[in-house]
PDB file of all heavy atoms in Angstrom:
ATOM      1  N   ARG Q   1      16.332   8.131   7.073  1.00  0.00           N
ATOM      2  CA  ARG Q   1      16.170   7.605   5.732  1.00  0.00           C
ATOM      3  C   ARG Q   1      14.751   7.251   5.478  1.00  0.00           C
ATOM      4  O   ARG Q   1      14.087   6.742   6.338  1.00  0.00           O
ATOM      5  CB  ARG Q   1      17.109   6.407   5.453  1.00  0.00           C
ATOM      6  CG  ARG Q   1      18.587   6.796   5.429  1.00  0.00           C
ATOM      7  CD  ARG Q   1      19.382   5.639   4.755  1.00  0.00           C
ATOM      8  NE  ARG Q   1      20.718   6.092   4.543  1.00  0.00           N
ATOM      9  CZ  ARG Q   1      21.620   5.357   3.772  1.00  0.00           C
ATOM     10  NH1 ARG Q   1      21.267   4.211   3.280  1.00  0.00           N
ATOM     11  NH2 ARG Q   1      22.833   5.774   3.542  1.00  0.00           N
ATOM     12  N   ALA Q   2      14.277   7.534   4.210  1.00  0.00           N
ATOM     13  CA  ALA Q   2      12.873   7.156   3.961  1.00  0.00           C
ATOM     14  C   ALA Q   2      12.738   6.744   2.501  1.00  0.00           C
ATOM     15  O   ALA Q   2      13.444   7.192   1.624  1.00  0.00           O
ATOM     16  CB  ALA Q   2      11.985   8.427   4.222  1.00  0.00           C
ATOM     17  N   ALA Q   3      11.729   5.856   2.331  1.00  0.00           N
ATOM     18  CA  ALA Q   3      11.505   5.265   0.993  1.00  0.00           C
ATOM     19  C   ALA Q   3      10.287   5.959   0.347  1.00  0.00           C
ATOM     20  O   ALA Q   3       9.216   6.106   0.965  1.00  0.00           O
ATOM     21  CB  ALA Q   3      11.219   3.760   1.116  1.00  0.00           C
ATOM     22  N   VAL Q   4      10.404   6.356  -0.916  1.00  0.00           N
ATOM     23  CA  VAL Q   4       9.339   7.020  -1.676  1.00  0.00           C
ATOM     24  C   VAL Q   4       8.968   6.052  -2.775  1.00  0.00           C
ATOM     25  O   VAL Q   4       9.772   5.685  -3.627  1.00  0.00           O
ATOM     26  CB  VAL Q   4       9.898   8.337  -2.312  1.00  0.00           C
ATOM     27  CG1 VAL Q   4       8.790   9.036  -2.978  1.00  0.00           C
ATOM     28  CG2 VAL Q   4      10.547   9.201  -1.287  1.00  0.00           C
ATOM     29  N   LYS Q   5       7.677   5.668  -2.734  1.00  0.00           N
ATOM     30  CA  LYS Q   5       7.230   4.718  -3.783  1.00  0.00           C
ATOM     31  C   LYS Q   5       7.101   5.396  -5.116  1.00  0.00           C
ATOM     32  O   LYS Q   5       7.020   6.648  -5.210  1.00  0.00           O
ATOM     33  CB  LYS Q   5       5.894   4.137  -3.401  1.00  0.00           C
ATOM     34  CG  LYS Q   5       4.754   5.169  -3.520  1.00  0.00           C
ATOM     35  CD  LYS Q   5       3.397   4.493  -3.110  1.00  0.00           C
ATOM     36  CE  LYS Q   5       2.255   5.452  -3.241  1.00  0.00           C
ATOM     37  NZ  LYS Q   5       0.947   4.904  -2.847  1.00  0.00           N
ATOM     38  N   PRO Q   6       7.118   4.639  -6.272  1.00  0.00           N
ATOM     39  CA  PRO Q   6       6.762   5.262  -7.514  1.00  0.00           C
ATOM     40  C   PRO Q   6       5.367   5.826  -7.414  1.00  0.00           C
ATOM     41  O   PRO Q   6       4.485   5.088  -6.947  1.00  0.00           O
ATOM     42  CB  PRO Q   6       6.799   4.053  -8.494  1.00  0.00           C
ATOM     43  CG  PRO Q   6       7.666   3.025  -7.854  1.00  0.00           C
ATOM     44  CD  PRO Q   6       7.463   3.215  -6.379  1.00  0.00           C
ATOM     45  N   ILE Q   7       5.211   7.062  -7.739  1.00  0.00           N
ATOM     46  CA  ILE Q   7       3.892   7.657  -7.620  1.00  0.00           C
ATOM     47  C   ILE Q   7       2.846   6.981  -8.518  1.00  0.00           C
ATOM     48  O   ILE Q   7       3.181   6.476  -9.592  1.00  0.00           O
ATOM     49  CB  ILE Q   7       3.877   9.197  -7.873  1.00  0.00           C
ATOM     50  CG1 ILE Q   7       4.339   9.527  -9.265  1.00  0.00           C
ATOM     51  CG2 ILE Q   7       4.767   9.882  -6.861  1.00  0.00           C
ATOM     52  CD1 ILE Q   7       4.233  10.965  -9.632  1.00  0.00           C
ATOM     53  N   PRO Q   8       1.604   6.860  -8.011  1.00  0.00           N
ATOM     54  CA  PRO Q   8       0.594   6.030  -8.658  1.00  0.00           C
ATOM     55  C   PRO Q   8      -0.145   6.660  -9.872  1.00  0.00           C
ATOM     56  O   PRO Q   8      -1.012   5.912 -10.460  1.00  0.00           O
ATOM     57  CB  PRO Q   8      -0.325   5.635  -7.541  1.00  0.00           C
ATOM     58  CG  PRO Q   8      -0.243   6.745  -6.651  1.00  0.00           C
ATOM     59  CD  PRO Q   8       1.153   7.341  -6.702  1.00  0.00           C
ATOM     60  N   THR Q   9       0.076   7.956 -10.157  1.00  0.00           N
ATOM     61  CA  THR Q   9      -0.593   8.465 -11.292  1.00  0.00           C
ATOM     62  C   THR Q   9       0.215   8.192 -12.579  1.00  0.00           C
ATOM     63  O   THR Q   9       1.354   8.806 -12.755  1.00  0.00           O
ATOM     64  CB  THR Q   9      -0.750   9.996 -11.197  1.00  0.00           C
ATOM     65  OG1 THR Q   9      -1.547  10.212  -9.973  1.00  0.00           O
ATOM     66  CG2 THR Q   9      -1.482  10.596 -12.364  1.00  0.00           C
ATOM     67  N   LEU Q  10      -0.239   7.322 -13.391  1.00  0.00           N
ATOM     68  CA  LEU Q  10       0.557   6.809 -14.516  1.00  0.00           C
ATOM     69  C   LEU Q  10      -0.004   7.341 -15.831  1.00  0.00           C
ATOM     70  O   LEU Q  10      -1.233   7.264 -16.104  1.00  0.00           O
ATOM     71  CB  LEU Q  10       0.558   5.278 -14.566  1.00  0.00           C
ATOM     72  CG  LEU Q  10       1.081   4.591 -13.279  1.00  0.00           C
ATOM     73  CD1 LEU Q  10       0.930   3.056 -13.466  1.00  0.00           C
ATOM     74  CD2 LEU Q  10       2.396   5.007 -12.948  1.00  0.00           C
ATOM     75  N   ALA Q  11       0.842   7.816 -16.738  1.00  0.00           N
ATOM     76  CA  ALA Q  11       0.380   8.263 -18.084  1.00  0.00           C
ATOM     77  C   ALA Q  11      -0.192   7.093 -18.881  1.00  0.00           C
ATOM     78  O   ALA Q  11      -1.060   7.361 -19.744  1.00  0.00           O
ATOM     79  CB  ALA Q  11       1.575   8.904 -18.853  1.00  0.00           C
ATOM     80  N   HIS Q  12       0.209   5.946 -18.593  1.00  0.00           N
ATOM     81  CA  HIS Q  12      -0.400   4.718 -19.199  1.00  0.00           C
ATOM     82  C   HIS Q  12      -1.120   4.032 -18.055  1.00  0.00           C
ATOM     83  O   HIS Q  12      -0.567   3.206 -17.383  1.00  0.00           O
ATOM     84  CB  HIS Q  12       0.637   3.805 -19.836  1.00  0.00           C
ATOM     85  CG  HIS Q  12       1.326   4.360 -21.015  1.00  0.00           C
ATOM     86  ND1 HIS Q  12       2.292   3.703 -21.728  1.00  0.00           N
ATOM     87  CD2 HIS Q  12       1.154   5.506 -21.698  1.00  0.00           C
ATOM     88  CE1 HIS Q  12       2.736   4.461 -22.726  1.00  0.00           C
ATOM     89  NE2 HIS Q  12       1.986   5.614 -22.744  1.00  0.00           N
ATOM     90  N   PRO Q  13      -2.315   4.360 -17.807  1.00  0.00           N
ATOM     91  CA  PRO Q  13      -3.040   3.951 -16.565  1.00  0.00           C
ATOM     92  C   PRO Q  13      -3.124   2.456 -16.418  1.00  0.00           C
ATOM     93  O   PRO Q  13      -3.272   1.708 -17.413  1.00  0.00           O
ATOM     94  CB  PRO Q  13      -4.402   4.623 -16.705  1.00  0.00           C
ATOM     95  CG  PRO Q  13      -4.251   5.772 -17.658  1.00  0.00           C
ATOM     96  CD  PRO Q  13      -3.233   5.298 -18.636  1.00  0.00           C
ATOM     97  N   LEU Q  14      -3.178   2.023 -15.180  1.00  0.00           N
ATOM     98  CA  LEU Q  14      -3.402   0.616 -14.778  1.00  0.00           C
ATOM     99  C   LEU Q  14      -4.917   0.305 -14.877  1.00  0.00           C
ATOM    100  O   LEU Q  14      -5.804   1.177 -14.847  1.00  0.00           O
ATOM    101  CB  LEU Q  14      -2.959   0.402 -13.430  1.00  0.00           C
ATOM    102  CG  LEU Q  14      -1.428   0.434 -13.142  1.00  0.00           C
ATOM    103  CD1 LEU Q  14      -1.215   0.378 -11.577  1.00  0.00           C
ATOM    104  CD2 LEU Q  14      -0.711  -0.658 -13.902  1.00  0.00           C
ATOM    105  N   PRO Q  15      -5.251  -0.999 -15.042  1.00  0.00           N
ATOM    106  CA  PRO Q  15      -6.663  -1.393 -15.051  1.00  0.00           C
ATOM    107  C   PRO Q  15      -7.198  -1.019 -13.650  1.00  0.00           C
ATOM    108  O   PRO Q  15      -6.543  -1.151 -12.655  1.00  0.00           O
ATOM    109  CB  PRO Q  15      -6.563  -2.885 -15.247  1.00  0.00           C
ATOM    110  CG  PRO Q  15      -5.258  -3.205 -15.851  1.00  0.00           C
ATOM    111  CD  PRO Q  15      -4.326  -2.170 -15.347  1.00  0.00           C
ATOM    112  N   SER Q  16      -8.492  -0.698 -13.667  1.00  0.00           N
ATOM    113  CA  SER Q  16      -9.130  -0.411 -12.389  1.00  0.00           C
ATOM    114  C   SER Q  16     -10.688  -0.616 -12.503  1.00  0.00           C
ATOM    115  O   SER Q  16     -11.083  -1.364 -13.396  1.00  0.00           O
ATOM    116  CB  SER Q  16      -8.935   1.129 -12.016  1.00  0.00           C
ATOM    117  OG  SER Q  16      -9.369   1.359 -10.721  1.00  0.00           O
ATOM    118  N   VAL Q  17     -11.427   0.074 -11.730  1.00  0.00           N
ATOM    119  CA  VAL Q  17     -12.895  -0.156 -11.674  1.00  0.00           C
ATOM    120  C   VAL Q  17     -13.606   1.167 -11.671  1.00  0.00           C
ATOM    121  O   VAL Q  17     -13.152   2.175 -11.091  1.00  0.00           O
ATOM    122  CB  VAL Q  17     -13.250  -0.954 -10.413  1.00  0.00           C
ATOM    123  CG1 VAL Q  17     -14.745  -1.083 -10.266  1.00  0.00           C
ATOM    124  CG2 VAL Q  17     -12.691  -2.300 -10.446  1.00  0.00           C
ATOM    125  N   ASP Q  18     -14.736   1.220 -12.390  1.00  0.00           N
ATOM    126  CA  ASP Q  18     -15.543   2.487 -12.400  1.00  0.00           C
ATOM    127  C   ASP Q  18     -16.433   2.467 -11.152  1.00  0.00           C
ATOM    128  O   ASP Q  18     -16.998   1.487 -10.748  1.00  0.00           O
ATOM    129  CB  ASP Q  18     -16.442   2.458 -13.680  1.00  0.00           C
ATOM    130  CG  ASP Q  18     -17.308   3.745 -13.724  1.00  0.00           C
ATOM    131  OD1 ASP Q  18     -16.683   4.743 -14.146  1.00  0.00           O
ATOM    132  OD2 ASP Q  18     -18.442   3.733 -13.282  1.00  0.00           O
ATOM    133  N   LEU Q  19     -16.440   3.644 -10.502  1.00  0.00           N
ATOM    134  CA  LEU Q  19     -17.214   3.831  -9.278  1.00  0.00           C
ATOM    135  C   LEU Q  19     -18.710   3.520  -9.498  1.00  0.00           C
ATOM    136  O   LEU Q  19     -19.358   3.012  -8.609  1.00  0.00           O
ATOM    137  CB  LEU Q  19     -17.024   5.303  -8.722  1.00  0.00           C
ATOM    138  CG  LEU Q  19     -17.823   5.718  -7.542  1.00  0.00           C
ATOM    139  CD1 LEU Q  19     -17.488   4.846  -6.340  1.00  0.00           C
ATOM    140  CD2 LEU Q  19     -17.481   7.150  -7.268  1.00  0.00           C
ATOM    141  N   ASP Q  20     -19.315   3.966 -10.613  1.00  0.00           N
ATOM    142  CA  ASP Q  20     -20.719   3.828 -10.845  1.00  0.00           C
ATOM    143  C   ASP Q  20     -21.117   2.354 -11.180  1.00  0.00           C
ATOM    144  O   ASP Q  20     -22.071   1.817 -10.574  1.00  0.00           O
ATOM    145  CB  ASP Q  20     -21.190   4.714 -11.945  1.00  0.00           C
ATOM    146  CG  ASP Q  20     -21.236   6.178 -11.550  1.00  0.00           C
ATOM    147  OD1 ASP Q  20     -21.129   6.449 -10.324  1.00  0.00           O
ATOM    148  OD2 ASP Q  20     -21.296   7.076 -12.464  1.00  0.00           O
ATOM    149  N   SER Q  21     -20.388   1.739 -12.092  1.00  0.00           N
ATOM    150  CA  SER Q  21     -20.834   0.458 -12.609  1.00  0.00           C
ATOM    151  C   SER Q  21     -20.096  -0.715 -11.921  1.00  0.00           C
ATOM    152  O   SER Q  21     -20.671  -1.856 -11.931  1.00  0.00           O
ATOM    153  CB  SER Q  21     -20.523   0.405 -14.129  1.00  0.00           C
ATOM    154  OG  SER Q  21     -19.128   0.365 -14.346  1.00  0.00           O
ATOM    155  N   GLY Q  22     -18.963  -0.517 -11.339  1.00  0.00           N
ATOM    156  CA  GLY Q  22     -18.187  -1.614 -10.833  1.00  0.00           C
ATOM    157  C   GLY Q  22     -17.438  -2.385 -11.880  1.00  0.00           C
ATOM    158  O   GLY Q  22     -16.787  -3.382 -11.526  1.00  0.00           O
ATOM    159  N   GLU Q  23     -17.560  -1.959 -13.146  1.00  0.00           N
ATOM    160  CA  GLU Q  23     -16.978  -2.689 -14.248  1.00  0.00           C
ATOM    161  C   GLU Q  23     -15.482  -2.166 -14.403  1.00  0.00           C
ATOM    162  O   GLU Q  23     -15.103  -1.161 -14.029  1.00  0.00           O
ATOM    163  CB  GLU Q  23     -17.706  -2.393 -15.561  1.00  0.00           C
ATOM    164  CG  GLU Q  23     -19.159  -2.868 -15.520  1.00  0.00           C
ATOM    165  CD  GLU Q  23     -19.269  -4.329 -15.351  1.00  0.00           C
ATOM    166  OE1 GLU Q  23     -18.395  -5.103 -15.899  1.00  0.00           O
ATOM    167  OE2 GLU Q  23     -20.213  -4.885 -14.604  1.00  0.00           O
ATOM    168  N   GLU Q  24     -14.698  -3.080 -15.030  1.00  0.00           N
ATOM    169  CA  GLU Q  24     -13.303  -2.765 -15.300  1.00  0.00           C
ATOM    170  C   GLU Q  24     -13.093  -1.641 -16.276  1.00  0.00           C
ATOM    171  O   GLU Q  24     -13.772  -1.604 -17.336  1.00  0.00           O
ATOM    172  CB  GLU Q  24     -12.570  -4.026 -15.778  1.00  0.00           C
ATOM    173  CG  GLU Q  24     -11.031  -3.750 -15.987  1.00  0.00           C
ATOM    174  CD  GLU Q  24     -10.243  -4.983 -16.331  1.00  0.00           C
ATOM    175  OE1 GLU Q  24     -10.498  -6.110 -15.648  1.00  0.00           O
ATOM    176  OE2 GLU Q  24      -9.452  -4.930 -17.306  1.00  0.00           O
ATOM    177  N   VAL Q  25     -12.258  -0.710 -15.970  1.00  0.00           N
ATOM    178  CA  VAL Q  25     -11.944   0.428 -16.911  1.00  0.00           C
ATOM    179  C   VAL Q  25     -10.420   0.709 -16.624  1.00  0.00           C
ATOM    180  O   VAL Q  25      -9.757   0.194 -15.732  1.00  0.00           O
ATOM    181  CB  VAL Q  25     -12.739   1.714 -16.521  1.00  0.00           C
ATOM    182  CG1 VAL Q  25     -14.173   1.507 -16.738  1.00  0.00           C
ATOM    183  CG2 VAL Q  25     -12.482   2.104 -15.027  1.00  0.00           C
ATOM    184  N   LEU Q  26      -9.848   1.655 -17.442  1.00  0.00           N
ATOM    185  CA  LEU Q  26      -8.529   2.165 -17.171  1.00  0.00           C
ATOM    186  C   LEU Q  26      -8.641   3.265 -16.108  1.00  0.00           C
ATOM    187  O   LEU Q  26      -9.623   4.057 -16.184  1.00  0.00           O
ATOM    188  CB  LEU Q  26      -7.879   2.685 -18.413  1.00  0.00           C
ATOM    189  CG  LEU Q  26      -7.412   1.665 -19.450  1.00  0.00           C
ATOM    190  CD1 LEU Q  26      -6.847   2.353 -20.686  1.00  0.00           C
ATOM    191  CD2 LEU Q  26      -6.473   0.649 -18.865  1.00  0.00           C
ATOM    192  N   ALA Q  27      -7.736   3.372 -15.238  1.00  0.00           N
ATOM    193  CA  ALA Q  27      -7.769   4.342 -14.131  1.00  0.00           C
ATOM    194  C   ALA Q  27      -7.762   5.795 -14.732  1.00  0.00           C
ATOM    195  O   ALA Q  27      -7.227   6.021 -15.849  1.00  0.00           O
ATOM    196  CB  ALA Q  27      -6.556   4.209 -13.207  1.00  0.00           C
ATOM    197  N   HIS Q  28      -8.329   6.713 -13.989  1.00  0.00           N
ATOM    198  CA  HIS Q  28      -8.304   8.104 -14.328  1.00  0.00           C
ATOM    199  C   HIS Q  28      -6.916   8.673 -14.339  1.00  0.00           C
ATOM    200  O   HIS Q  28      -6.086   8.201 -13.519  1.00  0.00           O
ATOM    201  CB  HIS Q  28      -9.195   8.904 -13.343  1.00  0.00           C
ATOM    202  CG  HIS Q  28      -9.171  10.386 -13.478  1.00  0.00           C
ATOM    203  ND1 HIS Q  28      -9.859  10.969 -14.568  1.00  0.00           N
ATOM    204  CD2 HIS Q  28      -8.622  11.436 -12.812  1.00  0.00           C
ATOM    205  CE1 HIS Q  28      -9.657  12.314 -14.494  1.00  0.00           C
ATOM    206  NE2 HIS Q  28      -8.911  12.564 -13.447  1.00  0.00           N
ATOM    207  N   TYR Q  29      -6.599   9.586 -15.207  1.00  0.00           N
ATOM    208  CA  TYR Q  29      -5.240  10.165 -15.264  1.00  0.00           C
ATOM    209  C   TYR Q  29      -5.331  11.635 -15.068  1.00  0.00           C
ATOM    210  O   TYR Q  29      -6.062  12.347 -15.694  1.00  0.00           O
ATOM    211  CB  TYR Q  29      -4.549   9.884 -16.621  1.00  0.00           C
ATOM    212  CG  TYR Q  29      -3.228  10.546 -16.768  1.00  0.00           C
ATOM    213  CD1 TYR Q  29      -2.142  10.165 -15.956  1.00  0.00           C
ATOM    214  CD2 TYR Q  29      -3.038  11.597 -17.659  1.00  0.00           C
ATOM    215  CE1 TYR Q  29      -0.933  10.750 -16.122  1.00  0.00           C
ATOM    216  CE2 TYR Q  29      -1.784  12.294 -17.790  1.00  0.00           C
ATOM    217  CZ  TYR Q  29      -0.756  11.854 -17.059  1.00  0.00           C
ATOM    218  OH  TYR Q  29       0.479  12.438 -17.125  1.00  0.00           O
ATOM    219  N   GLU Q  30      -4.545  12.123 -14.100  1.00  0.00           N
ATOM    220  CA  GLU Q  30      -4.343  13.558 -13.876  1.00  0.00           C
ATOM    221  C   GLU Q  30      -2.885  13.878 -14.205  1.00  0.00           C
ATOM    222  O   GLU Q  30      -2.013  13.038 -14.012  1.00  0.00           O
ATOM    223  CB  GLU Q  30      -4.607  13.980 -12.410  1.00  0.00           C
ATOM    224  CG  GLU Q  30      -6.010  13.773 -11.942  1.00  0.00           C
ATOM    225  CD  GLU Q  30      -6.892  14.962 -12.066  1.00  0.00           C
ATOM    226  OE1 GLU Q  30      -6.388  16.120 -11.707  1.00  0.00           O
ATOM    227  OE2 GLU Q  30      -8.011  14.902 -12.528  1.00  0.00           O
TER     228      GLU Q  30
END
């Protein structure tokens, strides 16, 4: 038996950070 998490690519993205600036942004969506 194995647990599958909700996949982390969300159509309504979570708050995150920009790699260049370090500032808060919405996560990239694929």
Side-chain angles (χ1 to χ4, degrees):
R1 287 193 172 194
V4 185
K5 71 179 181 182
I7 60 173
T9 301
L10 305 180
H12 295 177
L14 293 171
S16 187
V17 173
D18 183 80
L19 175 61
D20 287 344
S21 68
E23 300 296 324
E24 182 175 313
V25 294
L26 290 179
H28 175 71
Y29 175 68
E30 295 265 318

